[in-house]
Amino acid sequence: MKHKVFLGSIIAAVAAFVLYAANIKRVENAQLKVVGPKTSKIEQKNKKKTKAKAPQAKKLKEPKVNSIGYSNHVKAKSGSDRKLVKIIKKTMGLDDSYQVVTQDLNDSKRFAVVANTEKAHNAGKVMQLYLLIALYEQEQKGKMGSKTAVKIARKDKAKGDRMLQVNMAYGVAYLREAMLKGSKTASNALIRKIGLKNIDSVVRRMGAAQTTMAKNFNGDSYGKTTATDLAKTMIGLYQGRVLNRQHASKVLSTLASSRNRPQLVKGIRGGVYAIGDDDFATAIVQGRGNYAISVWSSNNKNLGKQINRWFDQKHK
């Protein structure tokens, strides 16, 4: 009996060992999978940590202007003279936004329109061009003349302007010269006298579709325009649009007599009729070749000379 009990104990022990070995093997082969609620605080905290540790994206460099699909891609209008376009691109470089328009006044097929932005931009002194044209149109219509006087109103007075006094009357010619010398008060008085609607009418009839004139010149911007609109305006003056030859000549003479020529035309000889500043400028140049040029850019130092040289060589 004792032998039977001993034998049963041995069989039970062996069976237990086999079962234990099988369980060990199953545990070793099993994959550990932790299941928890997706909205748990621990998981959200871990996500934040992972996000914080993620490497930051490198700042993209400005794409080259000849890359397709970028807003600063330089484009030349269809029909533009290839050699002229090449000169403009080389002169303006790759680092700045710009608009450049130039047109041979004796050959409509010889032109170049090159830009990497088409929208209108804030403009300063160059907007006086439209005020001058509107002023001489009023004279052409007989509504204003050399004897016309304008009293400076309090709302005309620009801060810091000491050239003109409130309630004093000044002749139109004097106000025109004061405006060209930088008097915002004179500009404001002329805008009020001529009427903003009349000035806007001149802008539209000159073909300047993207140009808007400010209500006054008290701020840094006197309105918005484009190089294309300015070129159309200068060409319109040359062709007798809006103003007859006599009054168009008066506008051009006023521009020619200005001592503060924009950088665009400095160093150019011949008949130069220009207005603007270092950002926006436009001109008509009469030399070996007659052409109009307009630019919007903060980097146009050598552009005028390069364009002038090209036109001179074309008309040798």
Side-chain angles (χ1 to χ4, degrees):
M1 184 69 178
K2 289 181 179 180
H3 292 290
K4 290 182 179 179
V5 172
F6 179 73
L7 181 62
S9 299
I10 293 174
I11 293 172
V14 171
F17 178 80
V18 171
L19 182 61
Y20 172 78
N23 285 334
I24 290 295
K25 187 174 182 180
R26 181 176 59 82
V27 170
E28 288 178 345
N29 293 333
Q31 292 182 351
L32 183 64
K33 185 176 181 181
V34 178
V35 179
K38 293 182 179 180
T39 57
S40 67
K41 293 182 180 180
I42 294 176
E43 184 176 342
Q44 290 177 355
K45 186 176 181 180
N46 289 337
K47 281 186 177 180
K48 290 181 180 179
K49 287 184 178 179
T50 303
K51 186 175 181 181
K53 292 180 180 179
Q56 294 182 350
K58 293 182 178 179
K59 188 177 181 181
L60 295 175
K61 293 182 178 179
E62 187 72 9
K64 292 183 179 180
V65 291
N66 58 358
S67 299
I68 298 174
Y70 290 101
S71 60
N72 70 335
H73 178 56
V74 175
K75 296 180 181 179
K77 184 177 179 180
S78 177
S80 295
D81 187 283
R82 292 183 180 180
K83 292 183 179 179
L84 195 50
V85 169
K86 186 176 181 180
I87 291 172
I88 292 170
K89 286 184 176 181
K90 183 178 179 180
T91 305
M92 300 307 293
L94 302 175
D95 299 327
D96 298 297
S97 294
Y98 64 87
Q99 300 172 355
V100 176
V101 180
T102 185
Q103 171 70 61
D104 191 320
L105 295 174
N106 297 323
D107 185 351
S108 61
K109 295 181 180 180
R110 185 177 292 156
F111 70 91
V113 179
V114 186
N116 50 24
T117 171
E118 296 180 352
K119 70 177 184 178
H121 297 275
N122 290 326
K125 186 176 180 180
V126 78
M127 296 302 291
Q128 294 173 354
L129 175 62
Y130 295 103
L131 191 47
L132 283 172
I133 296 171
L135 176 63
Y136 280 109
E137 188 192 34
Q138 292 295 300
E139 182 180 302
Q140 181 176 287
K141 290 180 176 181
K143 295 182 178 181
M144 294 176 66
S146 58
K147 295 182 180 180
T148 302
V150 181
K151 182 181 287 188
I152 303 300
R154 188 170 297 277
K155 63 180 180 180
D156 297 333
K157 186 70 173 180
K159 186 178 180 180
D161 191 343
R162 298 181 180 180
M163 293 181 67
L164 306 171
Q165 300 299 319
V166 175
N167 294 325
M168 290 287 292
Y170 299 88
V172 169
Y174 183 85
L175 291 176
R176 183 183 66 236
E177 294 303 316
M179 175 185 72
L180 295 173
K181 290 178 180 179
S183 173
K184 293 183 178 181
T185 301
S187 300
N188 294 340
L190 289 173
I191 291 173
R192 178 173 56 82
K193 180 65 176 178
I194 298 168
L196 192 58
K197 288 184 179 180
N198 291 325
I199 299 171
D200 287 340
S201 175
V202 165
V203 169
R204 297 292 169 259
R205 283 179 286 143
M206 276 294 181
Q210 291 183 269
T211 299
T212 54
M213 176 73 75
K215 294 180 179 180
N216 57 59
F217 285 5
N218 290 332
D220 293 331
S221 174
Y222 300 170
K224 290 187 176 183
T225 190
T226 65
T228 296
D229 278 5
L230 291 171
K232 287 179 179 179
T233 302
M234 295 300 276
I235 293 168
L237 273 176
Y238 186 81
Q239 295 175 342
R241 192 184 309 152
V242 177
L243 298 180
N244 57 32
R245 183 177 297 179
Q246 176 187 354
H247 289 88
S249 295
K250 288 185 177 182
V251 173
L252 294 175
S253 296
T254 300
L255 299 183
S257 62
S258 177
R259 295 180 180 180
N260 298 319
R261 287 186 174 183
Q263 181 68 47
L264 179 66
V265 295
K266 285 186 176 179
I268 296 178
R269 296 180 179 179
V272 179
Y273 313 93
I275 190 169
D277 49 37
D278 291 341
D279 294 324
F280 254 125
T282 187
I284 284 178
V285 178
Q286 292 181 316
R288 288 179 179 174
N290 300 330
Y291 63 93
I293 181 171
S294 295
V295 62
W296 172 76
S297 172
S298 58
N299 177 31
N300 56 54
K301 185 176 180 181
N302 298 313
L303 179 66
K305 293 179 181 178
Q306 295 295 330
I307 298 295
N308 188 65
R309 185 179 301 164
W310 186 85
F311 275 100
D312 279 353
Q313 291 175 350
K314 277 290 181 181
H315 292 87
K316 278 186 176 180

